[in-house]
Amino acid sequence: MKTKKVKENLSHKRTKAKGTAVSYHLKCAKTSNGLTHFVMYGDVPKKKMPL
Amino acid sequence: MANNTRGLSFSDVDSDWKLALDPENVFWGVIPKDNGRFVLPDNLIDFYKKERKHLDSELFNFRFHEPLNCVYIDPTDRCNANCLYCYIPSRIRKHGTQMTTEELDTTLKKIEEYFKRVKKKPVIVFHAAEPLLVKDIIFGAIKKYHKKFLFGIQTNALLLEKEDTDFIRKYRIGIGISLDADMKEINNRSRITTLGKGNYEKAVKALNWFKGYEGLNVICTVTKYNVDRLSMLVKFLHKKKVPLVLLNPVRLTQERAVRLKPDDMAYSRNLIAAVDTAIELSKKTKRQIVIGNMANVVLAIISPTARRMMCDISPCGGGRTFLTITANGDMVPCGEFIGFKEFSGGNIFKTSIEKAMNSMPFKKIRNRIVEKIDECNTCDFRHICGSPCPAEMYARGNLYGKAKFCEFYKEIIRHAFKLIAEDKVKYILREDAIKQLEYEYKL
């Protein structure tokens, strides 16, 4: 990528937060058929479709 | 890969947001800018330190240890359409073979055998060329095996009849209808039947029959002909109560498709507009239409292991999480490889799925990883786009070439971060899907 990059090591100098930053990570708990991820085809549950 | 300089890389999402990203494991944070400046929050670094190893191993396992879970079966090589961009060579579509009832049964028995120790039901998708040319055979197989597998059908709808929709609903089959545009003349320009017409009328009729069915989706192949109609298509499909649409890039596997490639910037601009349209419609009507491509990119960021479309990951899912069995029994990593005999991993009637999975052609595709692709190996977004598609790149002369839609992906990924920053994920993923996701950490 031709974006300006600044590599930050783990020893990055800390600064006080300002504004609302967003960061999160989600784990898929279950799917209708028990697959570890969502499916497009063949994933039509008996009652309701999750994705 | 050992990298002493590894850490967070910073780039602009837009004028309002800065992105901090570890490209190696997709740890990310979007940070608001104030007059172009931003301040890195302490707790973001704390999370990064804490989660880094876990995210490394999660992504590694998803890339290299995810098991086979889906088999595409092409029960016939023949097709009643002649779409301009089809990845199956025309000689195969005209003169190819078709499976008999017995051959399809043998195929499904072998698949059942392969998955006998697996608790989760594998997914079987009847796919290209046109599976409904052998409708009786596949419906018979679905009746027999519906307790063993989950089924899906991808069709141009030309041979679909109203009573078929009852069968499809009864057995909860996922059904994908091919439709490229809301306007007949644009759709029929690319989705041409062998009789020289198009599939528009039949496809729309099918959408009316399926109205409200949760297992319905529409696949639109985006070319230079329909690229500026994506928002209109989304509106049209929302009216038809279609819950999911895929706005897929035309694959350039066949030479004739190359001429149809949309401009990357036009494609990204129109896809983003289509996503905005979908969000507006969802808000206004309280009924969603999900654009699968954007949903998958967002998932690749916020929950990488939850993503389903296996083109946008490196290595791709071909010969790894799915494979294709052609009408003559050849097993190839993905349907895109049908025209390349050198990528056959063996024949299902003579060997096993296990042997195909361990074959050299399958390994060759699994070995195509972004770390080995120039430019991709230094791109921040390498584990979000995955640099598809190996079949396309092989056909264009360099398996290790970067994605043909590289600039498109960069735009879409940046926009996905913007949507996440603006808390619009709830409109991008299906509501019920969000309920199935649990936070592992949150800033």
Side-chain angles (χ1 to χ4, degrees):
Chain A
M1 281 180 70
K2 289 179 183 173
T3 50
K4 189 182 172 188
K5 286 183 181 179
V6 183
K7 290 287 178 190
E8 297 286 344
N9 290 324
L10 289 176
S11 57
H12 173 78
K13 190 182 172 188
R14 291 174 174 231
T15 48
K16 199 174 176 185
K18 180 183 166 187
T20 310
V22 183
S23 178
Y24 57 86
H25 186 80
L26 297 156
K27 190 166 187 176
C28 185
K30 60 176 181 178
T31 60
S32 64
N33 64 358
L35 289 172
T36 54
H37 41 67
F38 304 109
V39 298
M40 298 293 175
Y41 307 107
D43 186 29
V44 192
K46 290 278 189 292
K47 289 177 185 170
K48 215 173 177 186
M49 181 83 173
L51 181 88
Chain B
M1 202 184 295
N3 183 350
N4 292 332
T5 61
R6 185 178 158 191
L8 294 176
S9 178
F10 291 81
S11 60
D12 288 321
V13 173
D14 63 7
S15 56
D16 298 325
W17 297 97
K18 197 84 178 174
L19 170 66
L21 177 71
D22 182 348
E24 288 290 311
N25 62 11
V26 198
F27 176 91
W28 60 274
V30 276
I31 306 154
K33 289 198 278 191
D34 184 9
N35 289 324
R37 291 180 300 179
F38 72 101
V39 178
L40 189 64
D42 282 352
N43 47 359
L44 187 71
I45 293 296
D46 291 339
F47 272 122
Y48 179 51
K49 281 182 181 175
K50 191 176 163 216
E51 300 292 338
R52 184 172 137 166
K53 277 189 181 171
H54 160 65
L55 294 180
D56 281 355
S57 64
E58 183 187 86
L59 190 61
F60 181 85
N61 287 334
F62 190 61
R63 294 178 67 201
F64 301 110
H65 293 151
E66 188 72 5
L68 181 73
N69 56 52
C70 175
V71 179
Y72 288 81
I73 299 177
D74 296 354
T76 174
D77 284 339
R78 296 178 203 169
C79 194
N80 49 6
N82 187 24
C83 303
L84 294 181
Y85 39 66
C86 185
Y87 54 84
I88 304 173
S90 58
R91 65 183 153 78
I92 295 178
R93 278 183 282 119
K94 279 180 192 163
H95 308 295
T97 186
Q98 296 192 160
M99 279 187 184
T100 61
T101 303
E102 293 72 28
E103 284 170 336
L104 180 56
D105 193 61
T106 301
T107 302
L108 290 168
K109 273 184 186 153
K110 288 221 175 182
I111 296 171
E112 188 185 355
E113 172 68 19
Y114 181 86
F115 287 100
K116 70 182 175 189
R117 289 184 199 89
V118 179
K119 280 185 184 173
K120 298 164 186 171
K121 279 187 185 179
V123 177
I124 306 293
V125 182
F126 293 113
H127 208 275
E130 174 47 46
L132 294 188
L133 282 169
V134 288
K135 192 193 296 181
D136 292 346
I137 292 175
I138 65 171
F139 280 15
I142 290 168
K143 269 186 193 170
K144 182 173 175 183
Y145 288 93
H146 74 276
K147 288 187 179 167
K148 309 269 184 190
F149 305 121
L150 297 162
F151 285 102
I153 298 173
Q154 178 62 37
T155 178
N156 58 28
L158 288 168
L159 295 172
L160 198 72
E161 301 297 336
K162 194 167 188 310
E163 56 267 30
D164 300 333
T165 63
D166 298 333
F167 178 87
I168 287 164
R169 284 173 187 269
K170 180 181 173 187
Y171 287 97
R172 310 300 286 170
I173 300 164
I175 181 87
I177 305 287
S178 307
L179 185 72
D180 285 355
D182 60 308
M183 290 175 69
K184 184 178 171 179
E185 54 269 35
I186 296 175
N187 177 79
N188 289 358
R189 196 171 176 185
S190 53
R191 296 244 175 227
I192 305 164
T193 65
T194 47
L195 299 173
K197 295 180 180 174
N199 79 328
Y200 183 86
E201 283 176 6
K202 277 306 297 258
V204 172
K205 201 179 263 185
L207 297 183
N208 290 332
W209 289 336
F210 279 116
K211 198 171 266 187
Y213 177 51
E214 303 95 321
L216 174 65
N217 72 72
V218 164
I219 288 191
C220 161
T221 299
V222 180
T223 66
K224 64 182 181 184
Y225 295 146
N226 63 353
V227 67
D228 58 355
R229 298 290 304 177
L230 303 185
S231 279
M232 298 309 293
L233 180 63
V234 167
K235 278 185 190 169
F236 178 79
L237 296 177
H238 183 263
K239 268 187 195 165
K240 301 281 179 197
K241 297 191 176 174
V242 173
L244 177 73
V245 57
L246 295 172
L247 303 172
N248 291 339
V250 59
R251 287 279 173 238
L252 312 181
T253 313
Q254 294 295 319
E255 184 66 42
R256 62 183 188 160
V258 176
R259 295 189 290 273
L260 303 175
K261 182 183 181 294
D263 171 73
D264 280 41
M265 290 301 119
Y267 183 18
S268 58
R269 190 174 61 247
N270 282 291
L271 184 72
I272 288 167
V275 170
D276 289 344
T277 299
I279 291 173
E280 276 173 33
L281 289 169
S282 300
K283 279 183 183 173
K284 198 173 158 187
T285 65
K286 309 288 180 202
R287 178 167 50 78
Q288 278 189 301
I289 179 163
V290 168
I291 297 179
N293 315 73
M294 186 55 89
N296 211 56
V297 170
V298 166
L299 282 172
I301 296 165
I302 64 172
S303 185
T305 61
R307 79 184 103 172
R308 174 56 182 167
M309 291 164 68
M310 289 289 123
C311 297
D312 304 347
I313 183 169
S314 171
C316 79
R320 186 168 70 86
T321 62
F322 68 85
L323 62 88
T324 289
I325 301 175
T326 69
N328 69 6
D330 279 341
M331 290 178 277
V332 286
C334 165
E336 294 280 343
F337 285 100
I338 284 174
F340 307 112
K341 284 196 176 299
E342 60 274 33
F343 280 97
S344 173
N347 191 289
I348 189 84
F349 304 128
K350 296 173 186 166
T351 183
S352 64
I353 291 174
E354 196 169 13
K355 282 186 179 168
M357 292 298 287
N358 288 315
S359 67
M360 286 310 291
F362 279 45
K363 283 180 183 170
K364 191 172 179 177
I365 299 310
R366 292 200 297 268
N367 284 334
R368 182 190 180 271
I369 55 174
V370 283
E371 287 86 342
K372 297 177 183 174
I373 301 172
D374 283 346
E375 288 190 50
C376 298
N377 54 10
T378 56
C379 176
D380 282 357
F381 298 157
R382 58 186 175 270
H383 290 309
I384 303 173
C385 100
S387 199
C389 137
E392 187 176 56
M393 296 317 303
Y394 179 77
R396 299 295 110 231
N398 180 11
L399 181 63
Y400 284 86
K402 70 166 184 172
K404 283 287 179 191
F405 286 90
C406 177
E407 296 306 316
F408 160 78
Y409 278 109
K410 285 176 183 168
E411 291 297 313
I412 292 301
I413 292 167
R414 267 191 283 270
H415 190 72
F417 277 111
K418 184 175 164 64
L419 293 169
I420 293 165
E422 293 174 352
D423 195 24
K424 290 179 177 167
V425 169
K426 54 183 172 282
Y427 303 115
I428 304 298
L429 306 182
R430 278 196 181 171
E431 285 164 4
D432 287 356
I434 295 171
K435 288 175 192 162
Q436 295 173 18
L437 294 167
E438 295 171 348
Y439 283 106
E440 286 201 326
Y441 65 83
K442 188 180 180 188
L443 198 63

